[in-house]
Amino acid sequence: MAKTNKLSKNLITALVYVVVGILLLIFKGQIINWLMLAIGIAFIVQGLFDLYRKNTTRGIANIAIGLVIAILGMTIVKVVLIVLGIYLVLKGLYDLCLNIKVNFTRGIVYAILTMLLGVILIAYYWIAVDWVFIIIGILFVLNGILGLINGVSK
């Protein structure tokens, strides 16, 4: 009985992985909007509970943070990705200068790839976000399929 219960839990978990993976593949970067909205709502609800418990300062702070996250969620993500892109361009440029001095070919290639990734994050951040979710979705689907195969074969 316990073995059957564990097997059914494993199969359900595997199915959830497949479903979540497919949703990630379908909706890609749009999921960030939903996540930021959910996080914002969670902060607002926590803030309302804090106000109810007479913890006014914390309640107002949580509600304010929740509103900012819910309203400006994707903007925050865009800014972070652009800042990361600028950092990668500067890091790649620095590494390129160092590797040109010592004539290290592989280091020069890595530096150029780092700068290219930075430019992609700056200019095409939505593509980068989509690809992250595509890769995660594929991994979830594969993990779920392997779990199903493992569960069925036992």
Side-chain angles (χ1 to χ4, degrees), residues 68-108:
V68 168
I69 291 173
I71 295 169
L72 300 174
M74 195 58 187
T75 304
I76 294 168
V77 171
K78 290 175 189 176
V79 169
V80 168
L81 289 174
I82 290 170
V83 168
L84 179 61
I86 292 169
Y87 169 77
L88 288 174
V89 168
L90 294 174
K91 171 87 169 88
L93 190 59
Y94 175 77
D95 289 347
L96 182 65
C97 292
L98 287 179
N99 288 305
I100 287 175
K101 282 184 183 177
V102 295
N103 199 20
F104 184 54
T105 307
R106 188 172 36 180
I108 292 170

PDB file of all heavy atoms in Angstrom, residues 68-108:
ATOM      1  N   VAL A  68       4.229  48.546  -6.121  1.00  0.00           N
ATOM      2  CA  VAL A  68       5.335  48.788  -7.056  1.00  0.00           C
ATOM      3  C   VAL A  68       5.641  47.523  -7.855  1.00  0.00           C
ATOM      4  O   VAL A  68       5.786  47.573  -9.080  1.00  0.00           O
ATOM      5  CB  VAL A  68       6.592  49.281  -6.297  1.00  0.00           C
ATOM      6  CG1 VAL A  68       7.817  49.259  -7.193  1.00  0.00           C
ATOM      7  CG2 VAL A  68       6.361  50.683  -5.755  1.00  0.00           C
ATOM      8  N   ILE A  69       5.722  46.396  -7.172  1.00  0.00           N
ATOM      9  CA  ILE A  69       6.029  45.135  -7.863  1.00  0.00           C
ATOM     10  C   ILE A  69       4.908  44.758  -8.828  1.00  0.00           C
ATOM     11  O   ILE A  69       5.169  44.355  -9.956  1.00  0.00           O
ATOM     12  CB  ILE A  69       6.297  44.007  -6.845  1.00  0.00           C
ATOM     13  CG1 ILE A  69       7.608  44.272  -6.108  1.00  0.00           C
ATOM     14  CG2 ILE A  69       6.353  42.651  -7.532  1.00  0.00           C
ATOM     15  CD1 ILE A  69       7.879  43.311  -4.962  1.00  0.00           C
ATOM     16  N   ALA A  70       3.669  44.885  -8.398  1.00  0.00           N
ATOM     17  CA  ALA A  70       2.535  44.500  -9.244  1.00  0.00           C
ATOM     18  C   ALA A  70       2.412  45.409 -10.465  1.00  0.00           C
ATOM     19  O   ALA A  70       2.131  44.942 -11.568  1.00  0.00           O
ATOM     20  CB  ALA A  70       1.241  44.515  -8.436  1.00  0.00           C
ATOM     21  N   ILE A  71       2.629  46.706 -10.276  1.00  0.00           N
ATOM     22  CA  ILE A  71       2.445  47.651 -11.375  1.00  0.00           C
ATOM     23  C   ILE A  71       3.677  47.721 -12.282  1.00  0.00           C
ATOM     24  O   ILE A  71       3.566  47.770 -13.500  1.00  0.00           O
ATOM     25  CB  ILE A  71       2.083  49.048 -10.825  1.00  0.00           C
ATOM     26  CG1 ILE A  71       0.724  48.983 -10.127  1.00  0.00           C
ATOM     27  CG2 ILE A  71       2.080  50.092 -11.928  1.00  0.00           C
ATOM     28  CD1 ILE A  71       0.377  50.217  -9.329  1.00  0.00           C
ATOM     29  N   LEU A  72       4.848  47.712 -11.684  1.00  0.00           N
ATOM     30  CA  LEU A  72       6.088  47.913 -12.447  1.00  0.00           C
ATOM     31  C   LEU A  72       6.922  46.637 -12.584  1.00  0.00           C
ATOM     32  O   LEU A  72       8.119  46.719 -12.854  1.00  0.00           O
ATOM     33  CB  LEU A  72       6.940  48.999 -11.789  1.00  0.00           C
ATOM     34  CG  LEU A  72       6.301  50.378 -11.666  1.00  0.00           C
ATOM     35  CD1 LEU A  72       7.199  51.312 -10.878  1.00  0.00           C
ATOM     36  CD2 LEU A  72       5.990  50.953 -13.031  1.00  0.00           C
ATOM     37  N   GLY A  73       6.302  45.480 -12.411  1.00  0.00           N
ATOM     38  CA  GLY A  73       7.046  44.218 -12.406  1.00  0.00           C
ATOM     39  C   GLY A  73       7.924  43.999 -13.608  1.00  0.00           C
ATOM     40  O   GLY A  73       9.130  43.759 -13.497  1.00  0.00           O
ATOM     41  N   MET A  74       7.361  44.088 -14.801  1.00  0.00           N
ATOM     42  CA  MET A  74       8.149  43.845 -16.013  1.00  0.00           C
ATOM     43  C   MET A  74       9.179  44.941 -16.229  1.00  0.00           C
ATOM     44  O   MET A  74      10.264  44.679 -16.727  1.00  0.00           O
ATOM     45  CB  MET A  74       7.221  43.699 -17.220  1.00  0.00           C
ATOM     46  CG  MET A  74       7.889  43.106 -18.409  1.00  0.00           C
ATOM     47  SD  MET A  74       8.571  41.471 -18.006  1.00  0.00           S
ATOM     48  CE  MET A  74       9.454  41.137 -19.497  1.00  0.00           C
ATOM     49  N   THR A  75       8.861  46.162 -15.826  1.00  0.00           N
ATOM     50  CA  THR A  75       9.825  47.259 -15.939  1.00  0.00           C
ATOM     51  C   THR A  75      11.046  46.979 -15.075  1.00  0.00           C
ATOM     52  O   THR A  75      12.179  47.221 -15.501  1.00  0.00           O
ATOM     53  CB  THR A  75       9.171  48.591 -15.533  1.00  0.00           C
ATOM     54  OG1 THR A  75       8.019  48.800 -16.343  1.00  0.00           O
ATOM     55  CG2 THR A  75      10.129  49.744 -15.683  1.00  0.00           C
ATOM     56  N   ILE A  76      10.816  46.465 -13.876  1.00  0.00           N
ATOM     57  CA  ILE A  76      11.922  46.108 -12.989  1.00  0.00           C
ATOM     58  C   ILE A  76      12.789  45.045 -13.638  1.00  0.00           C
ATOM     59  O   ILE A  76      14.025  45.140 -13.637  1.00  0.00           O
ATOM     60  CB  ILE A  76      11.388  45.631 -11.618  1.00  0.00           C
ATOM     61  CG1 ILE A  76      10.691  46.776 -10.885  1.00  0.00           C
ATOM     62  CG2 ILE A  76      12.499  45.047 -10.765  1.00  0.00           C
ATOM     63  CD1 ILE A  76       9.884  46.349  -9.674  1.00  0.00           C
ATOM     64  N   VAL A  77      12.164  44.046 -14.234  1.00  0.00           N
ATOM     65  CA  VAL A  77      12.909  42.974 -14.907  1.00  0.00           C
ATOM     66  C   VAL A  77      13.708  43.548 -16.071  1.00  0.00           C
ATOM     67  O   VAL A  77      14.886  43.211 -16.258  1.00  0.00           O
ATOM     68  CB  VAL A  77      11.953  41.860 -15.385  1.00  0.00           C
ATOM     69  CG1 VAL A  77      12.680  40.859 -16.263  1.00  0.00           C
ATOM     70  CG2 VAL A  77      11.316  41.160 -14.192  1.00  0.00           C
ATOM     71  N   LYS A  78      13.102  44.427 -16.855  1.00  0.00           N
ATOM     72  CA  LYS A  78      13.801  45.049 -17.989  1.00  0.00           C
ATOM     73  C   LYS A  78      15.035  45.806 -17.522  1.00  0.00           C
ATOM     74  O   LYS A  78      16.110  45.694 -18.109  1.00  0.00           O
ATOM     75  CB  LYS A  78      12.872  45.996 -18.744  1.00  0.00           C
ATOM     76  CG  LYS A  78      11.779  45.323 -19.513  1.00  0.00           C
ATOM     77  CD  LYS A  78      10.853  46.367 -20.131  1.00  0.00           C
ATOM     78  CE  LYS A  78       9.624  45.741 -20.727  1.00  0.00           C
ATOM     79  NZ  LYS A  78       8.676  46.733 -21.237  1.00  0.00           N
ATOM     80  N   VAL A  79      14.870  46.604 -16.463  1.00  0.00           N
ATOM     81  CA  VAL A  79      15.993  47.394 -15.951  1.00  0.00           C
ATOM     82  C   VAL A  79      17.111  46.478 -15.481  1.00  0.00           C
ATOM     83  O   VAL A  79      18.293  46.711 -15.787  1.00  0.00           O
ATOM     84  CB  VAL A  79      15.529  48.336 -14.815  1.00  0.00           C
ATOM     85  CG1 VAL A  79      16.705  48.953 -14.089  1.00  0.00           C
ATOM     86  CG2 VAL A  79      14.609  49.416 -15.372  1.00  0.00           C
ATOM     87  N   VAL A  80      16.767  45.415 -14.765  1.00  0.00           N
ATOM     88  CA  VAL A  80      17.785  44.473 -14.284  1.00  0.00           C
ATOM     89  C   VAL A  80      18.517  43.836 -15.459  1.00  0.00           C
ATOM     90  O   VAL A  80      19.756  43.726 -15.448  1.00  0.00           O
ATOM     91  CB  VAL A  80      17.151  43.395 -13.367  1.00  0.00           C
ATOM     92  CG1 VAL A  80      18.113  42.260 -13.105  1.00  0.00           C
ATOM     93  CG2 VAL A  80      16.688  44.019 -12.057  1.00  0.00           C
ATOM     94  N   LEU A  81      17.777  43.427 -16.489  1.00  0.00           N
ATOM     95  CA  LEU A  81      18.414  42.803 -17.651  1.00  0.00           C
ATOM     96  C   LEU A  81      19.305  43.790 -18.406  1.00  0.00           C
ATOM     97  O   LEU A  81      20.397  43.429 -18.858  1.00  0.00           O
ATOM     98  CB  LEU A  81      17.358  42.219 -18.589  1.00  0.00           C
ATOM     99  CG  LEU A  81      16.639  40.983 -18.073  1.00  0.00           C
ATOM    100  CD1 LEU A  81      15.513  40.579 -19.020  1.00  0.00           C
ATOM    101  CD2 LEU A  81      17.604  39.822 -17.888  1.00  0.00           C
ATOM    102  N   ILE A  82      18.885  45.026 -18.526  1.00  0.00           N
ATOM    103  CA  ILE A  82      19.699  46.029 -19.216  1.00  0.00           C
ATOM    104  C   ILE A  82      20.958  46.332 -18.408  1.00  0.00           C
ATOM    105  O   ILE A  82      22.055  46.427 -18.975  1.00  0.00           O
ATOM    106  CB  ILE A  82      18.869  47.294 -19.505  1.00  0.00           C
ATOM    107  CG1 ILE A  82      17.823  46.973 -20.578  1.00  0.00           C
ATOM    108  CG2 ILE A  82      19.754  48.458 -19.938  1.00  0.00           C
ATOM    109  CD1 ILE A  82      16.785  48.057 -20.799  1.00  0.00           C
ATOM    110  N   VAL A  83      20.826  46.460 -17.102  1.00  0.00           N
ATOM    111  CA  VAL A  83      22.005  46.689 -16.249  1.00  0.00           C
ATOM    112  C   VAL A  83      22.959  45.498 -16.349  1.00  0.00           C
ATOM    113  O   VAL A  83      24.184  45.676 -16.464  1.00  0.00           O
ATOM    114  CB  VAL A  83      21.586  46.959 -14.783  1.00  0.00           C
ATOM    115  CG1 VAL A  83      22.765  46.911 -13.845  1.00  0.00           C
ATOM    116  CG2 VAL A  83      20.870  48.301 -14.687  1.00  0.00           C
ATOM    117  N   LEU A  84      22.405  44.282 -16.327  1.00  0.00           N
ATOM    118  CA  LEU A  84      23.242  43.088 -16.490  1.00  0.00           C
ATOM    119  C   LEU A  84      23.933  43.102 -17.854  1.00  0.00           C
ATOM    120  O   LEU A  84      25.111  42.767 -17.970  1.00  0.00           O
ATOM    121  CB  LEU A  84      22.406  41.819 -16.326  1.00  0.00           C
ATOM    122  CG  LEU A  84      23.139  40.490 -16.493  1.00  0.00           C
ATOM    123  CD1 LEU A  84      24.251  40.336 -15.467  1.00  0.00           C
ATOM    124  CD2 LEU A  84      22.160  39.334 -16.406  1.00  0.00           C
ATOM    125  N   GLY A  85      23.208  43.515 -18.894  1.00  0.00           N
ATOM    126  CA  GLY A  85      23.793  43.610 -20.227  1.00  0.00           C
ATOM    127  C   GLY A  85      24.940  44.604 -20.275  1.00  0.00           C
ATOM    128  O   GLY A  85      25.997  44.331 -20.859  1.00  0.00           O
ATOM    129  N   ILE A  86      24.754  45.767 -19.658  1.00  0.00           N
ATOM    130  CA  ILE A  86      25.824  46.774 -19.616  1.00  0.00           C
ATOM    131  C   ILE A  86      27.035  46.218 -18.879  1.00  0.00           C
ATOM    132  O   ILE A  86      28.183  46.381 -19.327  1.00  0.00           O
ATOM    133  CB  ILE A  86      25.314  48.078 -18.953  1.00  0.00           C
ATOM    134  CG1 ILE A  86      24.269  48.742 -19.855  1.00  0.00           C
ATOM    135  CG2 ILE A  86      26.461  49.025 -18.640  1.00  0.00           C
ATOM    136  CD1 ILE A  86      23.503  49.876 -19.199  1.00  0.00           C
ATOM    137  N   TYR A  87      26.776  45.548 -17.757  1.00  0.00           N
ATOM    138  CA  TYR A  87      27.884  44.935 -17.009  1.00  0.00           C
ATOM    139  C   TYR A  87      28.641  43.926 -17.875  1.00  0.00           C
ATOM    140  O   TYR A  87      29.874  43.911 -17.890  1.00  0.00           O
ATOM    141  CB  TYR A  87      27.349  44.257 -15.746  1.00  0.00           C
ATOM    142  CG  TYR A  87      28.385  43.389 -15.078  1.00  0.00           C
ATOM    143  CD1 TYR A  87      29.405  43.960 -14.327  1.00  0.00           C
ATOM    144  CD2 TYR A  87      28.375  42.002 -15.231  1.00  0.00           C
ATOM    145  CE1 TYR A  87      30.381  43.174 -13.741  1.00  0.00           C
ATOM    146  CE2 TYR A  87      29.337  41.208 -14.652  1.00  0.00           C
ATOM    147  CZ  TYR A  87      30.344  41.793 -13.905  1.00  0.00           C
ATOM    148  OH  TYR A  87      31.309  41.014 -13.336  1.00  0.00           O
ATOM    149  N   LEU A  88      27.913  43.083 -18.611  1.00  0.00           N
ATOM    150  CA  LEU A  88      28.570  42.071 -19.442  1.00  0.00           C
ATOM    151  C   LEU A  88      29.375  42.705 -20.573  1.00  0.00           C
ATOM    152  O   LEU A  88      30.461  42.224 -20.907  1.00  0.00           O
ATOM    153  CB  LEU A  88      27.534  41.090 -20.002  1.00  0.00           C
ATOM    154  CG  LEU A  88      26.933  40.116 -18.994  1.00  0.00           C
ATOM    155  CD1 LEU A  88      25.824  39.302 -19.643  1.00  0.00           C
ATOM    156  CD2 LEU A  88      27.992  39.208 -18.410  1.00  0.00           C
ATOM    157  N   VAL A  89      28.862  43.782 -21.156  1.00  0.00           N
ATOM    158  CA  VAL A  89      29.618  44.476 -22.206  1.00  0.00           C
ATOM    159  C   VAL A  89      30.918  45.037 -21.623  1.00  0.00           C
ATOM    160  O   VAL A  89      32.003  44.865 -22.213  1.00  0.00           O
ATOM    161  CB  VAL A  89      28.776  45.594 -22.860  1.00  0.00           C
ATOM    162  CG1 VAL A  89      29.644  46.493 -23.731  1.00  0.00           C
ATOM    163  CG2 VAL A  89      27.644  44.993 -23.673  1.00  0.00           C
ATOM    164  N   LEU A  90      30.821  45.694 -20.473  1.00  0.00           N
ATOM    165  CA  LEU A  90      32.023  46.262 -19.846  1.00  0.00           C
ATOM    166  C   LEU A  90      33.005  45.175 -19.410  1.00  0.00           C
ATOM    167  O   LEU A  90      34.215  45.313 -19.607  1.00  0.00           O
ATOM    168  CB  LEU A  90      31.631  47.146 -18.659  1.00  0.00           C
ATOM    169  CG  LEU A  90      30.840  48.408 -19.017  1.00  0.00           C
ATOM    170  CD1 LEU A  90      30.384  49.131 -17.764  1.00  0.00           C
ATOM    171  CD2 LEU A  90      31.655  49.320 -19.920  1.00  0.00           C
ATOM    172  N   LYS A  91      32.476  44.091 -18.834  1.00  0.00           N
ATOM    173  CA  LYS A  91      33.330  42.969 -18.417  1.00  0.00           C
ATOM    174  C   LYS A  91      34.007  42.339 -19.627  1.00  0.00           C
ATOM    175  O   LYS A  91      35.204  42.031 -19.599  1.00  0.00           O
ATOM    176  CB  LYS A  91      32.480  41.922 -17.690  1.00  0.00           C
ATOM    177  CG  LYS A  91      33.166  40.603 -17.392  1.00  0.00           C
ATOM    178  CD  LYS A  91      33.917  40.655 -16.091  1.00  0.00           C
ATOM    179  CE  LYS A  91      34.384  39.289 -15.655  1.00  0.00           C
ATOM    180  NZ  LYS A  91      35.688  38.931 -16.190  1.00  0.00           N
ATOM    181  N   GLY A  92      33.251  42.146 -20.712  1.00  0.00           N
ATOM    182  CA  GLY A  92      33.823  41.590 -21.929  1.00  0.00           C
ATOM    183  C   GLY A  92      34.894  42.481 -22.516  1.00  0.00           C
ATOM    184  O   GLY A  92      35.942  42.014 -22.974  1.00  0.00           O
ATOM    185  N   LEU A  93      34.652  43.796 -22.488  1.00  0.00           N
ATOM    186  CA  LEU A  93      35.636  44.749 -22.997  1.00  0.00           C
ATOM    187  C   LEU A  93      36.917  44.715 -22.160  1.00  0.00           C
ATOM    188  O   LEU A  93      38.031  44.702 -22.707  1.00  0.00           O
ATOM    189  CB  LEU A  93      35.027  46.153 -22.998  1.00  0.00           C
ATOM    190  CG  LEU A  93      35.808  47.246 -23.695  1.00  0.00           C
ATOM    191  CD1 LEU A  93      36.019  46.898 -25.166  1.00  0.00           C
ATOM    192  CD2 LEU A  93      35.077  48.573 -23.570  1.00  0.00           C
ATOM    193  N   TYR A  94      36.759  44.663 -20.851  1.00  0.00           N
ATOM    194  CA  TYR A  94      37.912  44.567 -19.946  1.00  0.00           C
ATOM    195  C   TYR A  94      38.700  43.276 -20.214  1.00  0.00           C
ATOM    196  O   TYR A  94      39.926  43.301 -20.351  1.00  0.00           O
ATOM    197  CB  TYR A  94      37.423  44.621 -18.493  1.00  0.00           C
ATOM    198  CG  TYR A  94      38.510  44.419 -17.474  1.00  0.00           C
ATOM    199  CD1 TYR A  94      39.398  45.445 -17.176  1.00  0.00           C
ATOM    200  CD2 TYR A  94      38.648  43.209 -16.796  1.00  0.00           C
ATOM    201  CE1 TYR A  94      40.405  45.267 -16.240  1.00  0.00           C
ATOM    202  CE2 TYR A  94      39.650  43.019 -15.867  1.00  0.00           C
ATOM    203  CZ  TYR A  94      40.528  44.053 -15.587  1.00  0.00           C
ATOM    204  OH  TYR A  94      41.524  43.873 -14.662  1.00  0.00           O
ATOM    205  N   ASP A  95      37.984  42.155 -20.306  1.00  0.00           N
ATOM    206  CA  ASP A  95      38.644  40.871 -20.579  1.00  0.00           C
ATOM    207  C   ASP A  95      39.310  40.868 -21.952  1.00  0.00           C
ATOM    208  O   ASP A  95      40.383  40.290 -22.128  1.00  0.00           O
ATOM    209  CB  ASP A  95      37.639  39.718 -20.490  1.00  0.00           C
ATOM    210  CG  ASP A  95      37.187  39.440 -19.070  1.00  0.00           C
ATOM    211  OD1 ASP A  95      37.822  39.955 -18.123  1.00  0.00           O
ATOM    212  OD2 ASP A  95      36.181  38.712 -18.902  1.00  0.00           O
ATOM    213  N   LEU A  96      38.671  41.515 -22.908  1.00  0.00           N
ATOM    214  CA  LEU A  96      39.248  41.588 -24.256  1.00  0.00           C
ATOM    215  C   LEU A  96      40.583  42.329 -24.218  1.00  0.00           C
ATOM    216  O   LEU A  96      41.569  41.857 -24.805  1.00  0.00           O
ATOM    217  CB  LEU A  96      38.266  42.290 -25.202  1.00  0.00           C
ATOM    218  CG  LEU A  96      38.693  42.399 -26.663  1.00  0.00           C
ATOM    219  CD1 LEU A  96      38.783  41.011 -27.289  1.00  0.00           C
ATOM    220  CD2 LEU A  96      37.719  43.260 -27.438  1.00  0.00           C
ATOM    221  N   CYS A  97      40.620  43.449 -23.517  1.00  0.00           N
ATOM    222  CA  CYS A  97      41.877  44.202 -23.404  1.00  0.00           C
ATOM    223  C   CYS A  97      42.964  43.369 -22.732  1.00  0.00           C
ATOM    224  O   CYS A  97      44.112  43.344 -23.191  1.00  0.00           O
ATOM    225  CB  CYS A  97      41.654  45.493 -22.625  1.00  0.00           C
ATOM    226  SG  CYS A  97      40.637  46.691 -23.505  1.00  0.00           S
ATOM    227  N   LEU A  98      42.622  42.680 -21.657  1.00  0.00           N
ATOM    228  CA  LEU A  98      43.606  41.841 -20.960  1.00  0.00           C
ATOM    229  C   LEU A  98      44.116  40.715 -21.850  1.00  0.00           C
ATOM    230  O   LEU A  98      45.325  40.438 -21.893  1.00  0.00           O
ATOM    231  CB  LEU A  98      42.996  41.242 -19.690  1.00  0.00           C
ATOM    232  CG  LEU A  98      42.769  42.164 -18.514  1.00  0.00           C
ATOM    233  CD1 LEU A  98      42.124  41.395 -17.352  1.00  0.00           C
ATOM    234  CD2 LEU A  98      44.074  42.788 -18.052  1.00  0.00           C
ATOM    235  N   ASN A  99      43.210  40.065 -22.560  1.00  0.00           N
ATOM    236  CA  ASN A  99      43.593  38.910 -23.374  1.00  0.00           C
ATOM    237  C   ASN A  99      44.325  39.310 -24.655  1.00  0.00           C
ATOM    238  O   ASN A  99      45.127  38.530 -25.168  1.00  0.00           O
ATOM    239  CB  ASN A  99      42.367  38.053 -23.696  1.00  0.00           C
ATOM    240  CG  ASN A  99      41.870  37.309 -22.475  1.00  0.00           C
ATOM    241  OD1 ASN A  99      42.626  36.589 -21.839  1.00  0.00           O
ATOM    242  ND2 ASN A  99      40.623  37.503 -22.128  1.00  0.00           N
ATOM    243  N   ILE A 100      44.072  40.506 -25.161  1.00  0.00           N
ATOM    244  CA  ILE A 100      44.835  40.980 -26.319  1.00  0.00           C
ATOM    245  C   ILE A 100      46.280  41.240 -25.908  1.00  0.00           C
ATOM    246  O   ILE A 100      47.219  40.926 -26.657  1.00  0.00           O
ATOM    247  CB  ILE A 100      44.179  42.245 -26.932  1.00  0.00           C
ATOM    248  CG1 ILE A 100      42.904  41.846 -27.673  1.00  0.00           C
ATOM    249  CG2 ILE A 100      45.140  42.971 -27.860  1.00  0.00           C
ATOM    250  CD1 ILE A 100      42.103  43.019 -28.207  1.00  0.00           C
ATOM    251  N   LYS A 101      46.471  41.781 -24.699  1.00  0.00           N
ATOM    252  CA  LYS A 101      47.832  42.056 -24.204  1.00  0.00           C
ATOM    253  C   LYS A 101      48.673  40.792 -24.129  1.00  0.00           C
ATOM    254  O   LYS A 101      49.854  40.800 -24.445  1.00  0.00           O
ATOM    255  CB  LYS A 101      47.788  42.720 -22.825  1.00  0.00           C
ATOM    256  CG  LYS A 101      47.458  44.171 -22.852  1.00  0.00           C
ATOM    257  CD  LYS A 101      47.529  44.750 -21.453  1.00  0.00           C
ATOM    258  CE  LYS A 101      47.131  46.203 -21.460  1.00  0.00           C
ATOM    259  NZ  LYS A 101      47.126  46.779 -20.118  1.00  0.00           N
ATOM    260  N   VAL A 102      48.056  39.691 -23.668  1.00  0.00           N
ATOM    261  CA  VAL A 102      48.816  38.437 -23.506  1.00  0.00           C
ATOM    262  C   VAL A 102      48.640  37.513 -24.699  1.00  0.00           C
ATOM    263  O   VAL A 102      49.173  36.413 -24.709  1.00  0.00           O
ATOM    264  CB  VAL A 102      48.427  37.707 -22.202  1.00  0.00           C
ATOM    265  CG1 VAL A 102      48.809  38.530 -20.994  1.00  0.00           C
ATOM    266  CG2 VAL A 102      46.958  37.349 -22.179  1.00  0.00           C
ATOM    267  N   ASN A 103      47.882  37.970 -25.706  1.00  0.00           N
ATOM    268  CA  ASN A 103      47.656  37.207 -26.936  1.00  0.00           C
ATOM    269  C   ASN A 103      47.063  35.821 -26.648  1.00  0.00           C
ATOM    270  O   ASN A 103      47.552  34.805 -27.147  1.00  0.00           O
ATOM    271  CB  ASN A 103      48.957  37.102 -27.740  1.00  0.00           C
ATOM    272  CG  ASN A 103      48.678  36.749 -29.188  1.00  0.00           C
ATOM    273  OD1 ASN A 103      47.568  36.934 -29.676  1.00  0.00           O
ATOM    274  ND2 ASN A 103      49.677  36.237 -29.871  1.00  0.00           N
ATOM    275  N   PHE A 104      45.998  35.790 -25.831  1.00  0.00           N
ATOM    276  CA  PHE A 104      45.324  34.546 -25.469  1.00  0.00           C
ATOM    277  C   PHE A 104      44.046  34.429 -26.304  1.00  0.00           C
ATOM    278  O   PHE A 104      43.039  35.065 -26.019  1.00  0.00           O
ATOM    279  CB  PHE A 104      45.011  34.539 -23.967  1.00  0.00           C
ATOM    280  CG  PHE A 104      44.414  33.272 -23.461  1.00  0.00           C
ATOM    281  CD1 PHE A 104      45.031  32.051 -23.677  1.00  0.00           C
ATOM    282  CD2 PHE A 104      43.228  33.293 -22.753  1.00  0.00           C
ATOM    283  CE1 PHE A 104      44.479  30.872 -23.198  1.00  0.00           C
ATOM    284  CE2 PHE A 104      42.665  32.123 -22.263  1.00  0.00           C
ATOM    285  CZ  PHE A 104      43.292  30.908 -22.493  1.00  0.00           C
ATOM    286  N   THR A 105      44.118  33.614 -27.352  1.00  0.00           N
ATOM    287  CA  THR A 105      43.050  33.536 -28.348  1.00  0.00           C
ATOM    288  C   THR A 105      41.720  33.099 -27.740  1.00  0.00           C
ATOM    289  O   THR A 105      40.671  33.694 -28.002  1.00  0.00           O
ATOM    290  CB  THR A 105      43.442  32.568 -29.479  1.00  0.00           C
ATOM    291  OG1 THR A 105      44.707  32.967 -29.989  1.00  0.00           O
ATOM    292  CG2 THR A 105      42.420  32.590 -30.593  1.00  0.00           C
ATOM    293  N   ARG A 106      41.742  32.045 -26.944  1.00  0.00           N
ATOM    294  CA  ARG A 106      40.491  31.554 -26.354  1.00  0.00           C
ATOM    295  C   ARG A 106      39.877  32.617 -25.447  1.00  0.00           C
ATOM    296  O   ARG A 106      38.675  32.814 -25.426  1.00  0.00           O
ATOM    297  CB  ARG A 106      40.744  30.258 -25.584  1.00  0.00           C
ATOM    298  CG  ARG A 106      39.476  29.604 -25.122  1.00  0.00           C
ATOM    299  CD  ARG A 106      39.676  28.249 -24.539  1.00  0.00           C
ATOM    300  NE  ARG A 106      40.918  28.142 -23.785  1.00  0.00           N
ATOM    301  CZ  ARG A 106      41.333  27.058 -23.171  1.00  0.00           C
ATOM    302  NH1 ARG A 106      40.618  25.975 -23.229  1.00  0.00           N
ATOM    303  NH2 ARG A 106      42.462  27.036 -22.507  1.00  0.00           N
ATOM    304  N   GLY A 107      40.701  33.329 -24.703  1.00  0.00           N
ATOM    305  CA  GLY A 107      40.210  34.406 -23.845  1.00  0.00           C
ATOM    306  C   GLY A 107      39.596  35.532 -24.649  1.00  0.00           C
ATOM    307  O   GLY A 107      38.594  36.129 -24.241  1.00  0.00           O
ATOM    308  N   ILE A 108      40.173  35.816 -25.819  1.00  0.00           N
ATOM    309  CA  ILE A 108      39.622  36.846 -26.695  1.00  0.00           C
ATOM    310  C   ILE A 108      38.239  36.421 -27.192  1.00  0.00           C
ATOM    311  O   ILE A 108      37.297  37.211 -27.199  1.00  0.00           O
ATOM    312  CB  ILE A 108      40.578  37.119 -27.882  1.00  0.00           C
ATOM    313  CG1 ILE A 108      41.864  37.771 -27.371  1.00  0.00           C
ATOM    314  CG2 ILE A 108      39.908  37.992 -28.939  1.00  0.00           C
ATOM    315  CD1 ILE A 108      42.969  37.878 -28.398  1.00  0.00           C
TER     316      ILE A 108
END
